[in-house]
Amino acid sequence: MSQNVTQKIISSHLVEGHMSPGEELAIKIDQTLTQDATGTMAYLEFEAIGLPSVRTELTVSYVDHNTLQVGFENADDHRFLQSAAAKFGVYFSRLGNGICHQVHLERFGKPGKTLLGSDSHTPTCGGLGMLAIGAGGLDVATAMAGYPFYIKMPAVVNIRLHGRPAPWVAAKDIILEVLRRLSVKGGLGRVMEYTGDGINYLSVPERATITNMGAELGATTSVFPSDEATRRFLAAQGRERDFASLSPDPGAGYDEVVDIDLSSLEPLIALPHMPDNVVKIKEAAGRRVNQVFIGSCTNSSYTDLMKVAAILKGKMVSPQVSLVIAPGSRQVLTALALNGALADLVSAGARMLECTCGPCVGVGQSPPSGGVSLRTSNRNFEGRSGTTDAEIYLVSCETAAASALTGAITDPRSLGEPVVVAMPERFPVDDRMITPPSEPVADLPLTMGPNIKPLPVAAPLAEEIAGEVLLKVGDNITTDHIMPAGAKILALRSNIPAISMHAFSRVDPSFAQRALDSGGGIVVGGLNYGQGSSREHAALAPLYLGIKAVLAKSFARIHMQNLVNFGLLPLVFADQADCDDIRQGDRLLIGGLREGLAADAVQVRNTRSGRIYPVRHGLSRRQIDILLAGGLLKYVKEKCFNK
Ligand code: MIC
Ligand code: SF4
């Protein structure tokens, strides 16, 4: 039977289940990646599983998020990660080597393989034909242990790109157009598979910009075929041997089709505060800008920054603008240094940052009060930059560079002839900042600083849950709302008791204390609850604070699985109108859980109004068993390793 690329990779990795949309199946995971902000938990979890070393083809531990070292915490975490890599047989990409997704694309990604990463932008490697999926740290830890990854068979959406992109239209504009059409919920339960003659005009890093930001659609992942462009990219990385051709069979079917004519696209911009709030650049042009940030795992490749350098060469950034640039990897920075483009950036007034996530997640460079920041990153959620009332706009590198020069949002087409940058025949490859695994040494100690606290453990699911609605929130609540990031809070990622005190702090600063005082309770949310980051801290902190269940109109995939992994019950209103009946402060009773969960017919009683709300969960039998066992860690240990 004809298969599309997604079906090909899934079927060649299938270990359990059938490929019918919506049905749970399990796939073998070839590679995993972790980053430092989620990695400390993932390696503590792996240690708790009790295996001497990882059982994947390749596992890489990156240090790229928590790079400000204003106290001992982050440096201690980095040292812990290095010791865990040595102990468990893991590649270790040192601080300074680059952002996990950019480095993985350059040095490790392989067409046709599966990759699971404890970061929601892991789908970046879909740009070279991998099935690359983001997940919580515990899912990644169990994959490191050789346990397969379970997922509902996604619907496959064929995004057909037609024609040559119009002048000054960048890969970023293509994914912004997809977001404009489909919204931040449009990818839920779906894989976005790109085809069409338009893909011939896109290099692997450009394709990776598109698959990267598929995360903002809520998609399971996004994938391109592996073709001559993929071969060229891998050859330029000195990795042609890793190439494998992969394309949809003639006549392969898709569940949905979206057609985009690249020749009629225009440069686009996402307005505050959602990545799908997209309009044509000319509708926003002229607004004053205080800051421009060029970088992040979306737009920090060699070709991206070469275009910026070409636009800025011989010019000066507007006196009103602070331009900050963070190259995606040490390889990118080295290439810019070797060919002189770095001097063009610096002479134009750019503030060069190290090769890390930085401003993207509020680690430094927060804009001024009420400031406007134009960014090439992927998320413009309110407050994520570290300045609550700042306005973040998302654009391509070309638009960002043009606007840095004028001090106002500027249509790059006003610059005249588009800049063209060729991909080099050979990138300056140097892997000395990646420590390869040696033979794992079982009795090697894990180096833990005082900020690294033990993992909280969930209790097996009770037969009845009763509790107060401690918080009621609206639609599209992100994990940045649930467990904010930013330099100060990120430093507490290994210390659940401390970080938990910041849960929902931007929504309701009294939440954490109220939860502790009332011995826990229930959270009620709207549509797409928990979208965004993969951080399992958005489940771990509520667990620590005693939250037992979350009721919502719908959930984002990764967060829902994170709740299950840590024994918190996610329930979905059968009738969305029931959600509107609930007020913060109501007491809810959820009884008969064992039977109700088995039949997917749970009832919630509101003791104030006396009303009964039927709720569903849509969980598989395996997920129910995980809840009953008290979380994934206990479940996997009992089931697979008889511990
Ligand atoms: C993000 O972009 O929000 C992060 C920080 O990379 C997260 C991971 C984390 O919270 O550590 C993600 O996207 O998963
Ligand atoms: Fe880092 Fe930002 Fe990418 Fe997250 S989205 S991995 S914080 S660069």
Side-chain angles (χ1 to χ4, degrees):
M1 211 184 88
S2 304
Q3 288 189 315
N4 55 45
V5 169
T6 310
Q7 290 165 336
K8 281 186 182 181
I9 307 182
I10 293 180
S11 60
S12 61
H13 288 80
L14 196 64
V15 291
E16 208 180 301
H18 300 286
M19 289 170 50
S20 345
E23 209 176 293
E24 190 175 73
L25 49 76
I27 52 173
K28 173 182 176 289
I29 294 300
D30 302 320
Q31 303 187 349
T32 64
L33 70 78
T34 54
Q35 42 88 339
D36 49 334
T38 55
T40 48
M41 283 296 134
Y43 288 100
L44 287 176
E45 287 153 0
F46 183 78
E47 189 204 17
I49 294 173
L51 292 185
S53 61
V54 295
R55 293 183 171 173
T56 43
E57 282 175 18
L58 174 105
T59 286
V60 191
S61 170
Y62 292 92
V63 181
D64 56 358
H65 279 62
N66 262 333
T67 57
L68 278 191
Q69 290 159 241
V70 292
F72 61 89
E73 294 87 349
N74 293 344
D76 279 6
D77 283 356
H78 304 161
R79 201 167 51 178
F80 164 74
L81 290 170
Q82 189 153 12
S83 70
K87 186 177 173 71
F88 299 128
V90 168
Y91 282 86
F92 184 68
S93 174
R94 286 157 64 182
L95 178 55
N97 197 46
I99 304 175
C100 54
H101 309 303
Q102 175 68 24
V103 178
H104 210 85
L105 189 79
E106 292 169 354
R107 306 306 308 142
F108 296 111
K110 286 189 191 174
K113 295 278 181 185
T114 54
L115 166 69
L116 195 72
S118 60
D119 192 282
S120 63
H121 290 102
T122 303
T124 310
C125 277
L128 46 68
M130 284 191 105
L131 196 78
I133 302 177
L138 184 48
D139 277 318
V140 176
T142 55
M144 292 195 273
Y147 184 70
F149 181 61
Y150 285 79
I151 194 156
K152 282 193 180 143
M153 177 65 197
V156 186
V157 181
N158 185 199
I159 305 206
R160 296 194 298 206
L161 304 180
H162 304 285
R164 178 190 282 274
W168 292 103
V169 166
K172 182 61 158 282
D173 299 309
I174 301 174
I175 186 62
L176 288 177
E177 171 65 8
V178 181
L179 275 154
R180 187 186 73 77
R181 293 199 200 181
L182 303 184
S183 90
V184 291
K185 302 188 281 295
L188 289 180
R190 294 171 169 82
V191 170
M192 319 313 271
E193 185 171 320
Y194 290 83
T195 64
D197 62 298
I199 68 171
N200 298 329
Y201 301 102
L202 300 172
S203 65
V204 165
E206 288 171 318
R207 295 173 183 187
T209 294
I210 294 173
T211 54
N212 170 283
M213 238 183 135
E216 278 50 67
L217 294 163
T220 303
T221 189
S222 303
V223 67
F224 275 80
S226 170
D227 55 13
E228 273 315 297
T230 322
R231 184 201 293 277
R232 266 201 309 282
F233 176 77
L234 288 172
Q237 290 290 344
R239 299 204 288 128
E240 200 172 349
R241 65 183 184 284
D242 289 341
F243 174 73
S245 163
L246 186 64
S247 53
D249 291 328
Y254 291 91
D255 298 292
E256 291 160 48
V257 176
V258 175
D259 285 293
I260 300 181
D261 174 12
L262 302 186
S263 63
S264 61
L265 271 192
E266 295 186 31
L268 299 171
I269 183 166
L271 309 178
H273 297 285
M274 271 297 146
D276 61 359
N277 197 4
V278 174
V279 298
K280 289 181 177 162
I281 191 76
K282 57 189 179 209
E283 289 173 38
R287 286 183 211 173
R288 306 299 307 166
V289 173
N290 306 100
Q291 182 191 61
V292 173
F293 164 53
I294 298 177
S296 89
C297 56
T298 315
N299 274 125
S300 58
S301 67
Y302 170 81
T303 31
D304 275 337
L305 298 194
M306 283 303 291
K307 283 184 195 154
V308 173
I311 293 170
L312 297 185
K313 190 178 170 77
K315 304 194 177 111
M316 190 64 206
V317 166
S318 156
Q320 314 310 327
V321 172
S322 165
L323 168 65
V324 286
I325 301 181
S329 69
R330 174 167 164 269
Q331 182 186 89
V332 171
L333 181 56
T334 305
L336 299 178
L338 289 172
N339 70 13
L342 182 59
D344 296 332
L345 297 173
V346 174
S347 325
R351 301 167 61 190
M352 297 304 295
L353 305 180
E354 57 178 334
C355 308
T356 56
C357 304
C360 174
V361 67
V363 176
Q365 320 302 327
S366 298
S369 296
V372 169
S373 178
L374 212 60
R375 299 183 166 206
T376 65
S377 48
N378 45 43
R379 291 185 172 143
N380 56 349
F381 304 148
E382 204 166 359
R384 179 173 159 104
S385 67
T387 305
T388 316
D389 59 359
E391 296 197 340
I392 312 297
Y393 293 74
L394 306 176
V395 292
S396 70
C397 285
E398 292 85 330
T399 302
S403 308
L405 290 174
T406 60
I409 295 178
T410 301
D411 187 334
R413 290 172 297 187
S414 63
L415 293 173
E417 277 300 297
V419 288
V420 181
V421 172
M423 214 173 57
E425 292 277 299
R426 182 79 185 200
F427 290 102
V429 172
D430 173 3
D431 287 336
R432 285 174 302 159
M433 293 284 277
I434 302 173
T435 312
S438 48
E439 274 307 297
V441 187
D443 53 6
L444 215 64
L446 288 173
T447 318
M448 292 200 211
N451 189 45
I452 302 183
K453 299 283 189 263
L455 284 167
V457 183
L461 194 70
E463 181 56 9
E464 182 178 283
I465 292 175
E468 182 187 332
V469 176
L470 289 168
L471 190 69
K472 186 176 172 199
V473 289
D475 292 345
N476 290 325
I477 284 294
T478 71
T479 45
D480 278 87
H481 290 106
I482 305 171
M483 191 66 259
K488 290 183 201 134
I489 303 178
L490 276 174
L492 304 173
R493 279 290 178 94
S494 310
N495 184 340
I496 299 301
I499 203 169
S500 297
M501 297 315 292
H502 298 273
F504 285 111
S505 54
R506 291 211 189 103
V507 179
D508 177 351
S510 70
F511 173 80
Q513 199 52 55
R514 285 195 294 110
L516 283 180
D517 292 347
S518 52
I522 293 169
V523 170
V524 175
L527 289 168
N528 199 21
Y529 179 85
Q531 68 156 327
S533 143
S534 67
R535 63 192 69 148
E536 58 192 357
H537 299 75
L540 276 164
L543 166 70
Y544 178 81
L545 296 173
I547 301 301
K548 299 281 184 292
V550 181
L551 268 69
K553 291 182 181 169
S554 67
F555 285 91
R557 173 186 63 89
I558 305 179
H559 184 60
M560 175 148 172
Q561 187 58 48
N562 283 340
L563 290 174
V564 172
N565 287 353
F566 292 101
L568 278 80
L569 182 62
L571 293 172
V572 179
F573 291 100
D575 179 356
Q576 293 189 0
D578 284 343
C579 181
D580 307 330
D581 188 56
I582 299 182
R583 298 184 204 149
Q584 194 162 308
D586 284 356
R587 271 194 82 75
L588 303 181
L589 252 177
I590 317 174
L593 273 173
R594 269 181 173 65
E595 240 177 68
L597 286 175
D600 198 358
V602 175
Q603 296 200 330
V604 177
R605 197 162 75 84
N606 188 334
T607 57
R608 174 186 55 82
S609 65
R611 282 190 53 182
I612 307 251
Y613 316 121
V615 289
R616 304 241 148 76
H617 53 67
L619 301 170
S620 67
R621 184 65 241 178
R622 189 191 64 96
Q623 287 171 313
I624 296 172
D625 289 342
I626 292 173
L627 284 167
L628 295 175
L632 181 64
L633 197 53
K634 285 191 199 155
Y635 174 86
V636 167
K637 280 175 75 167
E638 277 163 24
K639 198 171 159 79
C640 304
F641 305 109
N642 300 322
K643 285 184 180 160

